């Protein structure tokens, strides 16, 4: 068997709210490793919005999530894939724990997160999740494929600001958190043989060799290719090897990256829901924000007096970069 994995993030660009990065992995028979997971799982999973029928649509989260559809498409996917591993999610904090997202002590720094658990699902129904899961389990078993791994990292605002101060820029922070997930996958799959991991290109760079060497000591790293579309590397040691590919628009090219995108976006939206709800209790007619620059300035202006009154410090609310 070969591990086919993907990593993607949500929330790299906003001014408010956390950065979320997720790694996803499937255990796939060796003879199927060059097949598209979308193709192998096509009876349960679609990569388009049309003709999905009873299937889950797994694609770039930016193409799934909008004001009209809301959280439902993302929630259907996340809860169904987790339930296919017999993990039933019933609350926000349980989801954080299952995905090993962040320590509860970190959340206690934020009045909008601390102790603010709430039930899930929010936008879909338990029956819908059960129906998707039943079909997904059947198709996974039919193809002898296992959804074997999912871990997210939630980098909250204060932690992000601290990491940017140490590293000097946000792109390095993203890569360092990416490498943390890669290392965790590498360690958990010890003895599993080969791992193929795909990630979206980061920061517009084409060469990742020096970054990988700096952060993955004690392994051999070979350049397979470096270019505008794809940069690929083989990482190996005595017992295992991993091929990491940085692919332009990786979420359109690989189902694991698209699925990681969905998990990350869903998690970030759950966090933003809490943050918006906190300020709404003081300003009932406040329009919620997604945290991106222009709307964030509007939001910050409208909560300025409350922020001052409640003694909310900028370092837990506003990103430095």
């Amino acid at each position: 068997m070969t591990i086919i994995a993907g990593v993607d993030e949500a929330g790299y660009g906003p001014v408010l709210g956390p950065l979320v990065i997720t790694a996803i992995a499937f255990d796939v028979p060796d003879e199927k490793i060059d097949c598209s997971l979308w193709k192998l799982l096509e009876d349960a999973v679609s990569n388009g919005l049309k003709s999905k029928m009873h299937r889950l649509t797994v694609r770039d989260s930016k193409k799934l999530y909008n004001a009209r559809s809301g959280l439902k498409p993302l929630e259907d996917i996340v809860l169904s894939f987790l339930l296919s591993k017999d993990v039933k999610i019933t609350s926000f904090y349980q989801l954080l724990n299952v995905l090993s997202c962040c320590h509860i002590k970190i959340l206690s720094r934020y009045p909008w997160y601390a102790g603010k658990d709430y039930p899930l699902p929010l936008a879909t129904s338990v029956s819908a999740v059960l129906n998707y899961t039943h079909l997904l389990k059947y198709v996974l078993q039919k193809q002898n494929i296992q959804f074997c791994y999912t871990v997210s990292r939630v980098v909250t605002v204060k932690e992000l600001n601290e990491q940017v101060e140490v590293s000097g820029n946000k792109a390095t922070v993203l890569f360092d958190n990416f490498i943390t997930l890669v290392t965790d996958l590498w360690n958990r799959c010890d003895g599993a043989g080969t791992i193929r991991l795909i990630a979206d290109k980061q920061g517009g760079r084409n060469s990742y060799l020096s970054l990988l060497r700096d952060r993955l000591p004690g392994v051999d790293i070979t350049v397979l290719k470096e270019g505008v579309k794809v940069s690929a590397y083989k990482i190996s040691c005595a017992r295992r090897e991993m091929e990491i590919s940085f692919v332009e628009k990786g979420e359109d090219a690989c189902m694991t990256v698209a699925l990681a995108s969905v998990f990350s976006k869903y998690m970030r939206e759950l966090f933003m829901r809490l943050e918006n709800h906190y300020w709404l209790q003081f300003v009932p007619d406040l329009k919620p924000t997604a945290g991106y620059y222009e709307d964030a300035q509007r939001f910050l202006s409208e909560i300025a007096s409350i922020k001052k009154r409640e003694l909310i410090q900028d370092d837990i609310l506003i990103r430095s970069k």
Side-chain angles (χ1 to χ4, degrees), residues 84-102:
S84 76
K85 296 176 59 178
D86 297 320
V87 177
K88 183 180 180 181
I89 299 298
T90 59
S91 76
F92 173 63
Y93 268 44
Q94 182 201 8
L95 181 61
L96 295 184
N97 184 59
V98 165
L99 297 181
S100 305
C101 287
C102 56

Side-chain angles (χ1 to χ4, degrees), residues 2-297:
T2 298
I3 301 295
I4 305 296
V7 178
D8 204 13
E9 53 77 21
Y12 182 70
V15 174
L16 307 176
L19 167 67
V20 185
I21 312 168
T22 302
I24 295 287
F26 291 81
D27 206 343
V28 178
D30 292 338
E31 67 273 14
K32 297 179 180 179
I33 60 175
D34 292 321
C35 299
S36 164
L37 279 175
W38 273 306
K39 181 65 176 176
L40 292 172
L41 304 179
E42 66 180 350
D43 289 339
V45 174
S46 166
N47 67 348
L49 294 176
K50 295 181 179 180
S51 302
K52 60 173 276 187
M53 296 191 299
H54 52 283
R55 299 177 295 167
L56 289 166
T57 298
V58 178
R59 62 186 312 193
D60 180 8
S61 62
K62 293 187 289 294
K63 298 175 181 177
L64 285 174
Y65 180 78
N66 54 52
R68 181 178 58 82
S69 63
L71 274 180
K72 187 179 188 307
L74 306 180
E75 192 165 66
D76 281 333
I77 294 165
V78 170
L79 300 189
S80 297
F81 269 90
L82 288 175
L83 191 56
S84 76
K85 296 176 59 178
D86 297 320
V87 177
K88 183 180 180 181
I89 299 298
T90 59
S91 76
F92 173 63
Y93 268 44
Q94 182 201 8
L95 181 61
L96 295 184
N97 184 59
V98 165
L99 297 181
S100 305
C101 287
C102 56
H103 202 285
I104 296 300
K105 287 184 178 179
I106 291 177
L107 299 186
S108 68
R109 299 176 174 182
Y110 301 84
W112 37 89
Y113 301 150
K116 303 295 196 303
D117 197 8
Y118 56 89
L120 296 177
L122 286 174
T124 191
S125 64
V126 173
S127 61
V129 172
L130 287 171
N131 288 336
Y132 284 126
T133 303
H134 178 74
L135 182 58
L136 183 60
K137 273 187 164 183
Y138 170 77
V139 175
L140 286 166
Q141 185 176 22
K142 178 182 175 182
Q143 294 290 353
N144 193 25
I145 293 171
Q146 182 183 0
F147 177 49
C148 62
Y149 175 90
T150 177
V151 169
S152 296
R153 284 185 64 79
V154 175
V155 188
T156 52
V157 170
K158 184 174 178 61
E159 288 62 49
L160 182 60
N161 288 339
E162 290 171 347
Q163 291 178 32
V164 168
E165 184 176 358
V166 171
S167 67
N169 66 78
K170 192 166 62 173
T172 300
V173 170
L174 176 61
F175 193 83
D176 286 343
N177 283 280
F178 162 77
I179 284 295
T180 299
L181 289 174
V182 171
T183 302
D184 182 77
L185 177 63
W186 174 265
N187 291 334
R188 291 198 193 197
C189 297
D190 187 11
T194 300
I195 304 168
R196 287 189 178 181
L197 184 145
I198 294 178
D200 206 14
K201 282 221 165 184
Q202 299 182 12
R205 63 169 59 93
N206 294 328
S207 178
Y208 300 82
L209 181 59
S210 61
L211 289 171
L212 291 170
R213 281 179 172 164
D214 286 345
R215 291 158 177 80
L216 297 173
V219 299
D220 295 323
I221 303 177
T222 304
V223 177
L224 301 178
K225 66 170 68 173
E226 288 186 334
V228 174
K229 298 293 185 183
V230 179
S231 296
Y233 307 84
K234 184 171 76 172
I235 298 168
S236 57
C237 67
R239 296 176 51 182
R240 58 206 143 129
E241 67 178 36
M242 175 187 291
E243 183 179 309
I244 299 181
S245 299
F246 298 91
V247 179
E248 184 180 59
K249 297 182 179 178
E251 63 276 1
D252 294 331
C254 179
M255 197 192 92
T256 54
V257 182
L259 189 57
S261 168
V262 168
F263 268 76
S264 295
K265 180 65 173 175
Y266 180 63
M267 289 300 305
R268 176 173 157 81
E269 290 304 316
L270 295 183
F271 274 93
M272 290 306 298
R273 179 180 185 270
L274 284 177
E275 189 162 346
N276 279 300
H277 187 265
Y278 173 82
W279 296 105
L280 278 167
Q281 69 181 319
F282 301 113
V283 188
D285 59 347
L286 180 66
K287 180 183 176 183
T289 184
Y292 289 88
Y293 183 80
E294 288 189 12
D295 192 57
Q297 304 315 305

